[in-house]
Amino acid sequence: DVKVTQSSRYLVKRTGEKVFLECVQDMDHENMFWYRQDPGLGLRLIYFSYDVKMKEKGDIPEGYSVSREKKERFSLILESASTNQTSMYLCASSLNLAGNIQYFGAGTRLSVL
Amino acid sequence: KQEVTQIPAALSVPEGENLVLNCSFTDSAIYNLQWFRQDPGKGLTSLLLIQSSQREQTSGRLNASLDKSSGRSTLYIAASQPGDSATYLCAVPHMYSGGGADGLTFGKGTHLIIQP
């Protein structure tokens, strides 16, 4: 079974802190994704990566950056956390971009105070 | 820009009923459509993926259909059980002008409660 692991289930941070959300997949998938999920807005794509050191902006990249130094690991970085970044963050991976199932991690619920 | 809509937003039915969840999308140029299940506070579990060339996919008590030309998909759940209670989401890949695709565009989900 594909496993996508997000390092933290819950995080509480202060406004202005630099925050790292980590995601690891064990199936040698090329593609990895970060989404955020908010009530009434659903899931929205923040960033994705189709190869090591490659990254592309999704629909809502402002305030975020990403890092993919190794194929199995994709990090989401909040350079200076703000209260409007309080959300559920979901990482996913897939074998290729269009034709294959995306597998999701359990999510990280981030609260920025 | 692709928009995905799910109706109803919430549904509560007695155990044992058959039910249908609806998903519509505005741009019919899709590679596939995926149905997910999400339990409260958890991540997403993929249930079914229908390729654009397919009309149906089945897994156990679940059957998903796809009508690309009309921009619709349905998820049929037979003989519902309390364990089916969850939020069900449908999603289609983003398509961009170069003809490729990347992340998913999601509907807002149907929150399903099966009463024992």
Side-chain angles (χ1 to χ4, degrees), chain B residues 49-71:
Chain B
L49 183 145
I50 313 178
Q51 299 293 351
S52 61
S53 57
Q54 296 176 311
R55 298 282 294 184
E56 282 189 11
Q57 272 283 3
T58 298
S59 176
R61 293 182 295 107
L62 304 179
N63 175 276
S65 69
L66 176 64
D67 183 343
K68 250 185 69 168
S69 60
S70 68

Side-chain angles (χ1 to χ4, degrees), chain B residues 81-115:
Chain B
Q81 303 170 358
D84 295 330
S85 298
T87 297
Y88 291 80
L89 297 139
C90 67
V92 295
H94 283 169
M95 304 290 290
Y96 51 83
S97 59
D102 45 62
L104 296 175
T105 300
F106 283 86
K108 291 188 171 60
T110 294
H111 180 55
L112 177 63
I113 296 174
I114 308 298
Q115 305 152 9

Side-chain angles (χ1 to χ4, degrees), chain B residues 4-19:
Chain B
V4 179
T5 304
Q6 291 187 246
I7 295 173
L11 182 63
S12 180
V13 300
E15 180 178 4
E17 282 200 9
N18 303 325
L19 55 99

Side-chain angles (χ1 to χ4, degrees), chain A residues 52-64:
Chain A
V52 175
K53 296 191 186 295
M54 305 303 291
K55 59 186 179 184
E56 293 287 343
K57 293 179 181 179
D59 296 323
I60 50 163
E62 296 78 18
Y64 303 95

